Amino acid sequence: ARRLQVYRNNHASSLTEALRAVYPVLHRLVGDEFFMHLAVSYVNAHPSRCGNLHGFGAQVPEFVAGFPGLEVLPYVRDVASLEWSYHEVFHAADHAPLDVARLAVIAPPRYGELKFSMHPASRLLESPYPVLRIWQANQPDDGGDGVVDLHSGANRLLVIRRALDVEFELLDRGDYAFLSALRD
C-alpha cells in the first residue's frame, strides 16, 4: 500500500507540474498556493485517461469558471482558454496551407461542393476582457507596468502557428465572424 501511495503521489505531482507548464499565467494570477489547490482539485476531478500529457488540462478553462474563490477574477476562464489555445496550436500537426492555384482548376458548377476549414494550428477566441493584454502583462519579458484596464474592451483573437512561432492576431467583428463560420 505504501509503494502504491508513492506512485499515486508521483503521478499527481507530474500532472500538477504539467498543468503549471501549460497555464503559467493562470499560475501567476492566482499564486502558487492557490494554484496547487486548484491543480490538485482538477487532477482529482479530471483524471488523465491518456498516456499523452499534451491533452491533459483541456477542461481547465471550464473548471476554473466555477471554482470557489475565483469569482473575483471574472476573466480567469478566458485567460485559461487563451493559454490552452496556445498549447494546442503549438503542438498541432503540421499542415500545408491552402494552395489557391488548386482552386483555379475547379469548375464553377462545383463551387457549391467546396468546404473550407481552419488550419489545424489555429484557434479562435473571443472574450469580453482584454485577455491578450492580461497574458502579455504576465509574461516574464513584459517591459510594461503590468497594469491592465479590464474595461479597455473585448478581444477577438486568432491564435496561429507560423513556422515555429505561435502568434496572436486581434480581429475585428467581421473577420472573427467569417473565421468562426469556417471553423463551425
Side-chain angles (χ1 to χ4, degrees):
R2 271 194 352 247
R3 289 182 185 137
L4 191 55
Q5 188 58 38
V6 168
Y7 171 77
R8 282 188 194 115
N9 289 342
N10 286 341
H11 180 70
S13 177
S14 296
L15 294 177
T16 299
E17 287 307 310
L19 291 175
R20 188 187 321 262
V22 173
Y23 295 100
V25 172
L26 175 61
H27 177 229
R28 184 166 181 188
L29 290 171
V30 302
D32 195 51
E33 189 175 327
F34 194 91
F35 186 85
M36 290 302 294
H37 170 62
L38 175 72
V40 168
S41 299
Y42 180 82
V43 168
N44 290 332
H46 299 277
S48 178
R49 304 254 187 250
C50 177
N52 182 349
L53 276 181
H54 290 308
F56 184 69
Q59 295 90 3
V60 165
E62 293 303 320
F63 188 76
V64 299
F67 199 78
L70 290 179
E71 303 86 8
V72 296
L73 302 174
Y75 51 84
V76 75
R77 174 186 181 265
D78 294 347
V79 171
S81 294
L82 177 63
E83 290 193 289
W84 185 253
S85 294
Y86 184 102
H87 175 76
E88 283 188 310
V89 165
F90 183 82
H91 292 287
D94 288 329
H95 191 278
L98 174 66
D99 179 3
V100 220
R102 290 181 59 201
L103 292 176
V105 299
I106 297 173
R110 300 203 57 210
Y111 286 171
E113 299 171 29
L114 292 173
K115 293 182 180 171
F116 297 93
S117 62
M118 297 276 295
H119 192 280
S122 66
R123 299 291 182 278
L124 292 172
L125 177 71
E126 184 173 30
S127 172
Y129 301 101
V131 290
L132 180 58
R133 179 66 195 120
I134 294 168
W135 185 87
Q136 291 168 332
N138 285 282
Q139 296 305 302
D141 58 352
D142 181 57
D145 59 9
V147 175
V148 177
D149 177 7
L150 293 180
H151 304 292
S152 63
N155 278 170
R156 284 172 292 281
L157 298 168
L158 170 65
V159 183
I160 189 165
R161 188 184 71 226
R162 293 191 175 101
L164 297 176
D165 296 322
V166 176
E167 301 173 4
F168 301 103
E169 288 187 26
L170 286 167
L171 302 173
D172 63 26
R173 286 183 196 277
D175 290 339
Y176 186 84
F178 175 72
L179 292 173
S180 293
L182 283 179
R183 177 198 60 203
D184 297 342

